[in-house]
Amino acid sequence: MADRKLFAGAAIKRLRRGANMTQVALADALDISASYLNLIERNQRPLSARLMLLLADRFDFDPRQLVADEPGGGVNGMGRRLADPMFADLAIDRSELEEWLIAAPNTAEAFVRLFDNRSTGQLVTAVETSDPISLIRTEIERWRNHFADLDSIAETLADELRLGAGDLYGAILERLRVKHQLAIRILPESVLPEILRRLDLHARQLQLSEMLDPASRTFQVAALLGEIEAQSEIDGLVSGADFQDNAAEHLYRRHLSSYFAAALMMPYARFIRACEQTGYQIQILQRRFGSSFEQVAHRLTTLQRVGSRGLPFFMIRIDRSGLVSKRFVGASNGSLAESAHRCALWNIHRVFDRPFEEHTQLVGLEDGSSWFTISRAVQGIGYGVGGITPEFAVGLGLSAEHAATLYYARGANLSADNVELIGLGCPACTRAQCSQRSAPPKNRVLRLDIQETGLTPFSFVND
């Protein structure tokens, strides 16, 4: 809501402590009393627009970072977690959640970490909480996978390159050659086995494998250009994340350079205009921007520019076993992407049978939400050990209430009574008598009757 009050005490306290400032010193800098700042930090007063701008100027950060700091994605994110059947008897409403986040954001964050580790089958230990993948995912989702500064730099650079040549790949190669004295060399797979890209600074070469398709070649050279020309912005984001784990820092830096590459290939204003003109028809977007299905899908999760937002998609990538290798929730608050398990009734698992076709589905979850999803099988690059070409399923989704303008939903009945009922994976699903069930739900007592055999061996007490 536009008139929603912003309580950001925990975020402001972190900023102040990170700058080694006392409340008195920061209050003087903001021209307010120390007692008033104390109330703001304790979430007993909201943050005004004037103070937000002063803080942004004082600490040189994006003001949206304050909103992104809400524990677990704010009220909506906390609500999804508390929709777990184990909390069904508590009847926690939205107003109670709002009060919790305002009064005790740190305890809410502690709950989020405990719950998320439990949901993914992890133990809350020092080893698990330092898992680099979890660390960078938390940081990416804190920004809703939208990095405004990188988008702005990439868009300006894309316009400059576009003026010089219509071929983006050729224009990037020329800029790397002329401005940075770097040449591109395409090498045989036998010379670069198991390597797609190598930067040889001694020879001043970026060496690319011949296995890369045209979209992937453009992506790799664009990523290198971003590492060079957006280095200070990337360094700032990495420094702000304050990782204590070298692997997490490395992977986060790679994510940011990949983000820049996608933003250079699909410049924000032109891309979102094309999305709206085509109804987000991915095949046209691929052709228009020289990108792959997966590159477009990822880009769709990043469109959160203030005043020019795209539809709130989530993206997930799984292999045939259902293991997740990519997930971006963005602004979707999509529990389908966040869940540790997936439902066999979701057609993302069936796309391998008809590769390169887009499969759509309107699904309904136990919490009453409806989601429109688009899934497709894609191939990875290279052959790897044993000559196996990697295969993945990429799934996009958004709340059904936003799906009416999609090309894929034209003529579709998006009403709640037309959904296909699925769950968030058997351990988290309490739908009774599902013949596809492969495991009992957690926190439910099994119903044992030697005289009856049901559709599933896991009949349980649902209340």
Side-chain angles (χ1 to χ4, degrees), residues 266-281:
M266 295 166 273
Y268 197 102
R270 277 193 276 146
F271 185 72
I272 197 167
R273 187 163 55 248
C275 288
E276 293 169 349
Q277 290 171 348
T278 64
Y280 291 77
Q281 188 173 0

Side-chain angles (χ1 to χ4, degrees), residues 132-320:
I133 303 299
S134 298
L135 290 172
I136 65 169
R137 182 172 175 243
T138 297
E139 186 66 15
I140 291 169
E141 295 306 335
R142 188 170 72 84
W143 287 92
R144 299 292 192 270
N145 199 24
H146 174 70
F147 300 93
D149 289 344
L150 293 183
D151 256 311
S152 178
I153 296 168
E155 190 167 30
T156 300
L157 179 57
D159 289 341
E160 184 179 340
L161 294 174
R162 189 185 183 198
L163 291 175
D167 171 26
L168 179 62
Y169 177 71
I172 295 175
L173 263 57
E174 183 68 8
R175 189 176 185 94
L176 287 170
R177 184 185 67 81
V178 173
K179 188 171 182 178
H180 305 292
Q181 293 76 54
L182 283 168
I184 307 298
R185 188 176 179 189
I186 309 298
L187 294 176
E189 188 272 341
S190 58
V191 177
L192 288 180
E194 302 178 8
I195 296 176
L196 299 179
R197 161 186 154 182
R198 175 194 287 147
L199 181 60
D200 186 341
L201 290 175
H202 179 73
R204 304 299 297 172
Q205 281 184 355
L206 175 65
Q207 300 168 350
L208 299 179
S209 169
E210 64 181 349
M211 301 304 295
L212 291 167
D213 57 42
S216 298
R217 287 186 186 181
T218 303
F219 188 87
Q220 293 297 336
V221 298
L224 175 61
L225 191 58
E227 291 166 10
I228 297 171
E229 300 203 7
Q231 180 181 356
S232 62
E233 287 75 16
I234 291 175
D235 286 346
L237 288 165
V238 173
S239 175
D242 194 25
F243 292 123
Q244 304 301 311
D245 183 288
N246 289 335
E249 183 173 316
H250 172 81
L251 293 172
Y252 187 51
R253 186 177 294 277
R254 188 168 69 180
H255 173 81
L256 294 173
S257 64
S258 296
Y259 184 101
F260 183 91
L264 185 60
M265 293 175 67
M266 295 166 273
Y268 197 102
R270 277 193 276 146
F271 185 72
I272 197 167
R273 187 163 55 248
C275 288
E276 293 169 349
Q277 290 171 348
T278 64
Y280 291 77
Q281 188 173 0
I282 298 176
Q283 286 187 350
I284 293 180
L285 296 174
Q286 285 181 246
R287 300 296 184 272
R288 193 170 296 183
F289 294 94
S291 303
S292 70
F293 181 91
E294 186 172 335
Q295 288 168 354
V296 172
H298 183 188
R299 185 62 169 146
L300 290 176
T301 70
T302 70
L303 304 180
Q304 295 302 309
R305 177 177 287 178
V306 174
S308 182
R309 298 186 189 277
L311 293 178
F313 283 96
F314 69 75
M315 172 193 165
I316 189 169
R317 190 182 78 171
I318 64 174
D319 62 17
R320 283 183 177 268

Side-chain angles (χ1 to χ4, degrees), residues 338-352:
E338 289 184 327
S339 176
H341 308 279
R342 266 141 304 286
C343 179
L345 300 178
W346 185 14
N347 71 3
I348 190 173
H349 301 285
R350 298 195 287 274
V351 300
F352 295 107

